[in-house]
Amino acid sequence: MIAARAACVAASLLLAHGGIGSAEVRERRRYRSPPGVERWLAAPARLLDLPWLPVGRTLDWAQSRDVPKRVMDAFYFNRERTAGWFPAAGARGAGTGVGALVFRDDRREDGDRLELRATSPGGGQYFARGSWRRPARHWRVGSVSIEASKDRDVELYVAPGGGLGMATTPADRRGAGLERVALRVEATRGAGRAAELGVFATGEALREIAAAPGVSPVAPGGPSLGRARLAGGGLRAALDGAAGGARPTSGARLSVEWGAAAEPGGDAALLREAAHGSAFVPLWAPRRVLALRASWERVRPAGRGRVPAYLAPALDAHSGLRSYPTGRFRNRGVASASAEFRWPAWSAWDLFLFVDGGQTVGPGEPPAARAWRASRGGGCRFFAGGREVLLVQWGFGSEGRELVIAVGKAF
Amino acid sequence: MIAAALAAWLAASSFAAGRDNDDFDIPEPAASTGDLFWSDGAYWMSVHQAKKAFDPVWLLRKLGLLARPPAANVDAQDEVDDSTWFTNRHARRRLSAAELAAGPGGEPPRPPFSVRSAHPAAQTPRFVAEDALGRRIFFKLDALDRPGLSTNGEMIASRILHAAGYHVPSTFIVPLASGSLRLGEGAVVAGRYKGQELPMQPGHLESLLYLAPRGAGGGRFAVATLGLSGKPKGPFSYFGVRRDDPNDSVRHEDRRELRGLQLLFAWLNNTDSRRGNTLDMYVEDGGRRFLRHYLLDFSASFGSGNNEPKAPEEGHEYFFDAGAAFVSATTLGAWVKPWEASRADPYPELGPFDAEGFEPEFWKPSFANPAFERAAPADAYWAAKLVTSFTDEDLGAIASVGFFPTPGAREHLVKTLALRRDACGRRWLAAKDVAPLESFWVEDGELRFTDLAVERGYATTDATRYREERRRDRRLIRVSRDGGRTFGRPVSVWLDGDRVMRIKH
């Protein structure tokens, strides 16, 4: 009897929950979603799922392979120990090539940073950089950097007669080839959390090489890059009183630098001075900021020394005048100012509108009042991990438009 | 014999009152894909939102011409049965203070811990180890400058959700000493990229300890989660059904316990309600093998944004909220969102967490959730019953397990949870969307009931009036809180003589 009851219980359990197929499970389920006219009515909307399928698969693949992290690592955006090999595109579409990036970054913010980077965009060109930096606490070597490059299309706008700077027009664009090796060793000391002092020594060797095919060369008699081996040094001071890190909301930053370099046994000798300041003014609401920037940079011959044209500072989309192409205005001195209104669109995305103004100063320049150029525009910055990761900016000026997409750039 | 078999079948059958029969024995499902939140998040916040414009049913609902579809897994009492998704606990049978504080229970992790894998570079550093009992333990570390920020979410929010009825893992605060961590056999440390693993060295253990914050006594600690029993089979989606689970017959966006989770998460400010923070476990219980569904990872609760304070947008906007971004972009920042004002953050272990301006129906998780979007007033009401079942004393008992080095932090948390609870109660127990009437019975020919809003203090009897309408097959009871001037939506009650057969809010 007991065995029979046990068999009945077992049979009932089997019937109730076990040993039955999926279809029967579904049939016996107490609750089921009702068949819905609603789902049929929503069917046309589901067509949007079709183009999403490859996008979703791509996102899944990208996440599973850490693709963005690998890409961002190629632009110094990393916080971990790693090494990697990454493809690199040519700087101006001269060709694509490959790059290698080996870097180490202790996870602690006050750790050493070592970066080695080499890219070869093709056409015989290359760029390589190695740098080591440690946070400044006491007077000691704080950074060493070595940079080498071979570029066969260095932009230089040279007016007929050899003038540079604001007197040039877009049609005056010329190109040259330059091979360069530079070394900089700097000893730094932190003065509080916001200030830093540095003294540096530099060495540089550069020579003009053949420009790339199709590039308009500098006319004979015009400024040339020449050849120079320079050794020099200087002083640097920086003050960072801005709050908010990569998205400053108040405060100011200031950096000044003075340096000198000369060519042992040669005719190149120059003095260099630069000052950059930025201020961030909080406006009527959180994260609405008016960012102001002013820059001054000048190189001048020391005594009767020659200043290689390549070392003259430039005013362009990457340095203070955002609607003008790379290297557009270059002369002994550059002054620029910017005002930028910033506001957040969402948590990781700031929008901005800007006006820039600037001019170069030096031989062959028109009167200052007529030299000033302006640009205006706007853009957005994307942030991740508290850092600016992507800048997209569109500038408009008297000579056209300039779109800049940059990674890891901050103002 | 036949009668015995029938009785046994009835006893074994999940058609017993209060129990769903979603635990049939099923073949072992494949492990589904893991935490692919990019495609998930991007889809639900872009394509899914765009589809609404082409969905006539959604448009009709938006215009108020069509009601939200009712949940598909409610019983005749308009309640949720115990199931592999949910177990009625505190709201049905009050748990003691000790039970509330214990949560899912289990023995705390016992050192020494043999570390098997570590991910020190993750946003929340973590490692997996086996304890002295051979159990798999998942450890997470708070940020060094914010000890307790993630831990309190894991410890307290998980216990609240467990008491509410959800399946969650057990969590403990575990002291870490240099002698308590050992290098497990074959231990690995994550490389920079997914899938990269390097052999773990003793130095990695030291660096793990270095990453652990210090507790009140100066010793380091971590929050430990006990591994769940069974085989992990990947997360569950808040949409659709799992194809390889025959027990999964109710679309997830139609499950009341998932829809109602929105209110609980709003209460706890757990903004990380995405698919990746869920887990299906293939378990064996009562001789059957089936999937049980768990919620995981509560470190984004309260004011925590996973080891850093929550951004102002969290709880108010999706991670990418096209509407808010569009308005902000086109107004050139002139529109200042109310939540952009600076927030007080006096307690590092809690982050910015308060009840000021909290409106539960406007709360948003960081990722759009299809089940949340589909919640009907009855689902929110059901969840409000869970939320308001916690008294201040209950919250104090649960908060006692947290880590609060700052004086006043624990009290602030309890007070804030109480205020937010009351906001949920006022919104969903005392508003017109749902008549908060329960426990119907017939006495002396009259239908009687309990008014939860009055019972729990969200309404007074002075201005409360009830109106009954009799239809052919049911009675409709409406409630007024303004002395009878206006009445809200009714609760429907089906009777058979003196027996209450069905209730629908």
Side-chain angles (χ1 to χ4, degrees):
Chain A
M1 190 64 168
I2 293 174
R5 281 184 182 168
C8 287
V9 169
S12 68
L13 285 172
L14 195 65
L15 285 172
H17 288 99
I20 58 177
S22 299
E24 198 162 354
V25 167
R26 291 193 178 91
E27 188 60 36
R28 293 189 184 199
R29 281 281 291 115
R30 182 172 184 176
Y31 298 110
R32 271 192 292 275
S33 283
V37 174
E38 177 183 335
R39 297 196 70 223
W40 287 105
L41 289 174
R46 287 207 293 275
L47 289 175
L48 285 178
D49 288 336
L50 289 176
W52 172 258
L53 280 176
V55 176
R57 295 282 167 86
T58 303
L59 286 175
D60 289 346
W61 170 81
Q63 184 182 357
S64 64
R65 301 290 191 276
D66 264 335
V67 166
K69 193 185 286 185
R70 292 174 189 265
V71 170
M72 288 197 291
D73 282 348
F75 295 95
Y76 305 96
F77 187 77
N78 70 89
R79 303 183 71 172
E80 306 306 326
R81 305 166 196 267
T82 186
W85 173 89
F86 308 96
R92 278 175 291 282
T96 57
V98 298
L101 179 61
V102 176
F103 50 91
R104 168 183 173 274
D105 178 3
D106 194 292
R107 194 173 191 278
R108 293 159 51 185
E109 287 291 339
D110 57 352
D112 289 3
R113 296 182 68 97
L114 171 68
E115 298 176 358
L116 301 173
R117 181 183 174 94
T119 60
S120 177
Q125 302 179 99
Y126 66 85
F127 173 81
R129 176 183 167 86
S131 69
W132 167 80
R133 181 179 172 83
R134 64 172 27 178
R137 284 199 202 91
H138 308 287
W139 279 115
R140 61 179 178 183
V141 175
S143 67
V144 177
S145 69
I146 301 173
E147 201 169 282
S149 64
K150 184 176 177 181
D151 189 344
R152 299 182 65 198
D153 187 12
V154 176
E155 290 98 349
L156 202 61
Y157 290 75
V158 184
L164 297 174
M166 313 309 289
T168 59
T169 68
D172 294 330
R173 184 184 185 278
R174 300 292 178 264
L178 178 73
E179 192 164 35
R180 174 175 177 265
V181 176
L183 165 72
R184 178 176 169 128
V185 179
E186 181 169 342
T188 52
R189 179 186 171 91
R193 288 179 63 87
E196 189 175 88
L197 303 172
V199 56
F200 58 88
T202 60
E204 187 164 16
L206 50 88
R207 70 185 180 100
E208 190 173 0
I209 59 174
V215 171
S216 301
V218 176
S224 71
L225 302 176
R227 179 191 181 100
R229 290 191 178 86
L230 301 169
L235 301 170
R236 183 181 65 83
L239 183 70
D240 187 350
R247 301 171 88 172
T249 54
S250 63
R253 295 180 177 135
L254 178 67
S255 67
V256 294
E257 187 170 305
W258 179 90
E263 184 175 19
D267 62 349
L270 57 99
L271 300 171
R272 182 173 173 275
E273 58 217 30
H276 306 278
S278 50
F280 305 97
V281 181
L283 299 177
W284 75 91
R287 298 187 297 175
R288 276 81 173 153
V289 177
L290 180 65
L292 305 170
R293 177 173 61 180
S295 293
W296 164 252
E297 189 174 347
R298 181 172 73 163
V299 294
R300 50 195 171 95
R304 295 176 181 271
R306 171 179 66 92
V307 178
Y310 174 78
L311 296 179
L315 185 64
D316 56 23
H318 304 284
S319 62
L321 206 58
R322 285 179 262 194
S323 64
Y324 292 85
T326 303
R328 174 64 185 89
F329 302 110
R330 193 188 291 270
N331 213 326
R332 295 274 176 86
V334 165
S336 67
S338 298
E340 189 173 291
F341 167 56
R342 302 173 175 175
W343 76 100
W346 61 292
S347 59
W349 184 30
D350 280 356
L351 299 174
F352 60 91
L353 298 173
F354 67 85
V355 291
D356 293 338
Q359 68 175 91
T360 55
V361 177
E365 291 284 7
R370 285 164 45 191
W372 191 261
R373 299 291 176 90
S375 65
R376 63 206 177 277
C380 55
R381 294 184 175 90
F382 292 90
F383 297 87
R387 303 185 183 192
E388 181 177 337
V389 297
L390 184 66
L391 166 75
V392 179
Q393 128 195 318
W394 195 261
F396 300 84
S398 59
E399 293 183 4
R401 299 178 284 271
E402 189 75 11
L403 173 68
V404 171
I405 300 175
V407 177
K409 190 168 176 168
F411 159 19
Chain B
M1 190 185 299
I2 294 173
L6 184 61
W9 179 78
L10 285 173
S13 166
S14 292
F15 283 115
R19 177 115 194 101
D20 191 358
N21 64 345
D22 65 346
D23 52 358
F24 284 99
D25 189 63
I26 62 169
E28 181 171 345
S32 67
T33 52
D35 185 12
L36 299 175
F37 65 87
W38 287 7
S39 56
D40 259 357
Y43 175 82
W44 293 113
M45 288 185 288
S46 60
V47 176
H48 175 70
Q49 306 300 326
K51 280 163 63 175
K52 291 174 180 174
F54 303 94
D55 184 348
V57 177
W58 182 85
L59 290 170
L60 289 173
R61 289 208 178 101
K62 193 72 177 170
L63 294 170
L65 301 176
L66 199 62
R68 298 271 179 98
N73 66 322
V74 293
D75 64 9
Q77 307 297 316
D78 209 15
E79 293 288 345
V80 172
D81 287 340
D82 292 349
S83 68
T84 58
W85 295 84
F86 184 85
T87 301
N88 289 282
R89 295 192 184 102
H90 190 58
R92 289 266 179 100
R93 177 191 71 81
R94 289 192 56 75
L95 302 177
S96 66
E99 288 173 318
L100 290 169
E107 186 169 337
R110 190 186 298 181
F113 305 111
S114 295
V115 179
R116 293 293 185 185
S117 65
H119 200 333
Q123 185 180 13
T124 306
R126 55 184 183 264
F127 60 97
V128 181
E130 284 180 6
D131 73 345
L133 301 178
R135 298 175 301 174
R136 196 175 172 88
I137 315 288
F138 298 85
F139 290 85
K140 281 208 284 197
L141 305 175
D142 290 327
L144 290 171
D145 61 341
R146 290 259 180 183
L149 184 62
S150 296
T151 294
N152 285 327
E154 292 286 4
M155 293 291 291
I156 296 170
S158 66
R159 281 162 172 74
I160 289 176
L161 288 166
H162 174 263
Y166 294 90
H167 300 146
V168 301
S170 300
T171 54
F172 303 89
I173 292 178
V174 173
L176 294 180
S178 58
S180 62
L181 294 184
R182 295 180 183 172
L183 209 55
E185 192 177 325
V188 294
V189 62
R192 172 141 180 87
Y193 306 120
K194 281 193 174 71
Q196 284 183 342
E197 288 179 345
L198 308 168
M200 189 180 293
Q201 306 297 330
H204 290 120
L205 285 184
E206 290 176 29
S207 66
L208 276 179
L209 270 180
Y210 175 82
L211 291 173
R214 291 191 184 276
R220 299 186 188 270
F221 73 95
V223 62
T225 303
L226 291 187
L228 296 167
S229 59
K231 296 181 183 177
K233 295 298 175 186
F236 64 79
S237 172
Y238 283 87
F239 184 82
V241 295
R242 186 171 175 141
R243 293 173 199 262
D244 56 0
D245 180 7
N247 286 314
D248 201 6
S249 58
V250 177
R251 295 182 65 85
H252 300 174
E253 69 273 22
D254 289 337
R255 296 199 73 95
R256 170 158 288 178
E257 60 271 64
L258 293 185
R259 292 178 173 189
L261 197 53
Q262 179 185 25
L263 191 69
L264 281 115
F265 279 178
W267 176 38
L268 302 171
N269 206 26
N270 181 9
T271 50
D272 203 2
S273 61
R274 54 191 173 86
R275 171 175 171 259
N277 290 331
T278 64
L279 185 61
D280 285 344
M281 295 296 293
Y282 189 56
V283 301
E284 183 164 350
D285 191 354
R288 298 186 298 277
R289 291 159 302 167
F290 51 89
L291 287 179
R292 184 172 285 143
H293 313 278
Y294 288 84
L295 302 177
L296 304 177
D297 196 351
F298 310 102
S299 53
S301 302
F302 314 135
S304 169
N306 281 314
N307 260 6
E308 57 186 14
K310 269 192 165 60
E313 294 83 9
E314 293 187 72
H316 303 281
E317 297 177 10
Y318 295 134
F319 178 70
F320 175 67
D321 198 307
F326 176 77
V327 174
S328 190
T330 52
T331 60
L332 304 184
W335 174 47
V336 181
K337 303 165 195 170
W339 51 87
E340 285 191 274
S342 53
R343 307 160 299 160
D345 184 9
Y347 306 108
E349 61 268 59
L350 285 178
F353 180 56
D354 57 42
E356 188 179 330
F358 172 58
E359 294 180 273
E361 66 181 311
F362 297 115
W363 180 89
K364 276 185 176 178
S366 291
F367 294 84
N369 186 303
F372 294 4
E373 289 182 346
R374 217 164 150 82
D379 303 314
Y381 166 69
W382 172 85
K385 288 193 289 184
L386 300 182
V387 170
T388 56
S389 68
F390 290 87
T391 65
D392 293 7
E393 290 72 30
D394 296 337
L395 296 174
I398 296 175
S400 68
V401 305
F403 177 73
F404 300 97
T406 309
R410 189 193 313 271
E411 291 75 16
H412 174 79
L413 175 65
V414 173
K415 181 181 171 190
T416 301
L417 284 175
L419 290 172
R420 290 171 77 96
R421 171 205 62 201
D422 293 340
C424 296
R426 282 191 298 273
R427 174 61 189 89
W428 290 109
L429 295 189
K432 292 181 180 177
D433 307 76
V434 180
L437 308 180
E438 300 285 338
S439 306
F440 288 89
W441 79 99
V442 176
E443 188 176 305
D444 297 330
E446 285 198 353
L447 186 63
R448 298 182 183 276
F449 47 82
T450 302
D451 186 336
L452 269 192
V454 172
E455 184 181 82
R456 296 188 178 177
Y458 300 109
T460 62
T461 53
D462 300 348
T464 299
R465 302 288 184 271
Y466 308 100
R467 186 169 73 196
E468 178 182 319
E469 301 168 24
R470 296 196 181 200
R471 301 286 172 85
R472 187 162 52 89
D473 58 339
R474 58 192 159 129
R475 300 191 191 188
L476 303 177
I477 317 294
R478 298 179 191 269
V479 182
S480 168
R481 303 292 181 194
D482 54 12
R485 282 195 297 277
T486 58
F487 286 84
R489 293 178 59 84
V491 54
S492 300
V493 182
W494 285 260
L495 300 174
D496 180 11
D498 286 352
R499 290 180 62 203
V500 177
M501 299 303 292
R502 188 181 162 213
I503 300 167
K504 184 171 182 298
H505 289 91

